Amino acid sequence: MTLLRIGWLSGAGQEGSGMLGGADQKALFDYWHDRVRLTNLTRLGAREHVTTQELRHECTNYDELRRLKPVQELDELERCRVIAIIKYECTAKVLQRRTGLLRDYARQCEEQALDHRQKERGLLALITKLKDILKGRDVKILRLESRIESLQAENEALRTEQQQSKAESQLRKELDALQRAFEAEVERRKQLAKNNQSLGGRVAHTNRYRRERDELSEALRIERQTSQALRRELEQLRRGEQLGLDLAE
């Protein structure tokens, strides 16, 4: 059987121009190369690994070509040779197409990665800017908080000074009142001593004078104790206010 029947087109219903028995190898390869069709493009462009055998059987018309009647009618040696050529052309074409698809996908991935990197840089710059803004606001907040604490301390110091001044003024008023009362009592008793001088004798006058002196001494002692107690109270008040101020600081 000649190679004329190898050129028969599947589905054409007739024999094609065929190829002469003396045709060179390139013509034979070109003949079958032109008849290879790619199918199942989804499987062909799959992202996961697909074996060459699967690509050849699932994504080309390899099985259809090798079962063509003109091919099957060749003698065994010529048939094996033709099927080998068909296999080669189907394999080469499907691998070439898959390589292109995968390269296109890789290029798309690279473009997406570049776009993501650019967006990431933009986001990082924005995040850095926001961090700087927040840092500035934190510093401002800390400064305001420090100022508030300072004003609160100053206010408390003024309040303490006012309280201390008020306490001292009140104590001075009480001491002045006691001093005036003491002086009035002394004058009263002096006048009383003068009035009573003419009513008794010298012994009675002496005893009365001693008694009045003792009474005045006792009153003076009590007044001094009272003054000392008030002074101690004032000193304690001052120390207490000072201690409170120190603790606040």
Side-chain angles (χ1 to χ4, degrees):
M1 183 178 293
T2 66
L3 290 178
L4 178 62
R5 303 187 62 184
I6 299 177
W8 184 84
L9 300 178
S10 176
Q14 61 182 357
E15 293 182 353
S17 59
M19 300 188 67
L20 298 177
D24 58 15
Q25 291 285 346
K26 183 178 184 304
L28 188 60
F29 275 88
D30 290 343
Y31 176 85
W32 289 109
H33 175 82
D34 293 338
R35 282 154 181 76
V36 174
R37 288 183 293 103
L38 298 178
T39 61
N40 197 2
L41 296 181
T42 301
R43 180 64 170 166
L44 181 60
R47 306 293 181 257
E48 69 275 6
H49 174 69
V50 182
T51 64
T52 302
Q53 183 178 358
E54 290 173 328
L55 290 173
R56 185 169 53 250
H57 286 282
E58 298 179 17
C59 301
T60 72
N61 59 339
Y62 167 72
D63 292 320
E64 177 184 343
L65 293 176
R66 67 193 295 269
R67 292 191 183 99
L68 287 175
K69 185 176 180 181
V71 174
Q72 296 299 319
E73 290 177 349
L74 293 172
D75 61 71
E76 183 177 358
L77 181 61
E78 188 65 22
R79 184 174 65 252
C80 291
R81 176 169 173 264
V82 170
I83 290 176
I85 294 173
I86 294 172
K87 182 177 182 180
Y88 171 81
E89 291 296 337
C90 288
T91 302
K93 193 173 236 183
V94 76
L95 290 178
Q96 182 180 12
R97 182 62 180 275
R98 177 167 172 78
T99 299
L101 291 175
L102 292 178
R103 284 179 178 172
D104 290 341
Y105 176 68
R107 184 166 51 252
Q108 292 176 3
C109 291
E110 182 61 27
E111 291 174 354
Q112 290 178 357
L114 178 61
D115 182 61
H116 290 162
R117 286 194 295 270
Q118 292 175 346
K119 290 180 179 178
E120 182 180 1
R121 284 194 293 269
L123 290 175
L124 290 175
L126 178 60
I127 290 173
T128 301
K129 185 176 180 180
L130 291 175
K131 285 182 177 179
D132 292 339
I133 293 174
L134 292 176
K135 184 178 179 180
R137 290 184 177 179
D138 289 341
V139 171
K140 185 177 181 180
I141 290 173
L142 291 175
R143 186 164 56 248
L144 291 174
E145 288 178 346
S146 298
R147 181 57 180 163
I148 290 172
E149 291 179 358
S150 176
L151 291 175
Q152 289 176 341
E154 291 178 6
N155 185 49
E156 187 62 28
L158 291 173
R159 185 182 296 110
T160 301
E161 290 177 358
Q162 290 175 354
Q163 293 175 350
Q164 182 177 355
S165 177
K166 183 178 180 181
E168 290 177 352
S169 177
Q170 183 65 28
L171 185 56
R172 280 195 297 269
K173 289 180 180 179
E174 293 178 2
L175 289 174
D176 291 343
L178 289 173
Q179 184 65 30
R180 288 193 297 272
F182 173 74
E183 291 175 353
E185 181 64 21
V186 170
E187 290 297 327
R188 188 185 69 78
R189 293 190 180 190
K190 285 181 179 180
Q191 187 63 38
L192 182 60
K194 290 179 182 180
N195 293 336
N196 293 335
Q197 188 174 6
S198 60
L199 299 177
R202 186 173 182 181
V203 176
H205 174 73
T206 301
N207 291 336
R208 192 177 302 112
Y209 176 78
R210 289 175 179 173
R211 185 172 59 255
E212 290 174 356
R213 182 192 63 189
D214 294 339
E215 290 175 355
L216 288 173
S217 296
E218 180 64 16
L220 180 60
R221 185 184 65 79
I222 293 173
E223 191 277 339
R224 288 175 178 172
Q225 289 180 348
T226 302
S227 297
Q228 291 176 356
L230 290 173
R231 286 190 177 91
R232 285 195 297 271
E233 182 179 354
L234 176 60
E235 184 64 25
Q236 291 177 356
L237 179 61
R238 288 176 177 173
R239 291 178 179 176
E241 294 295 340
Q242 184 64 36
L243 179 58
L245 180 60
D246 293 339
L247 291 176
E249 293 176 353

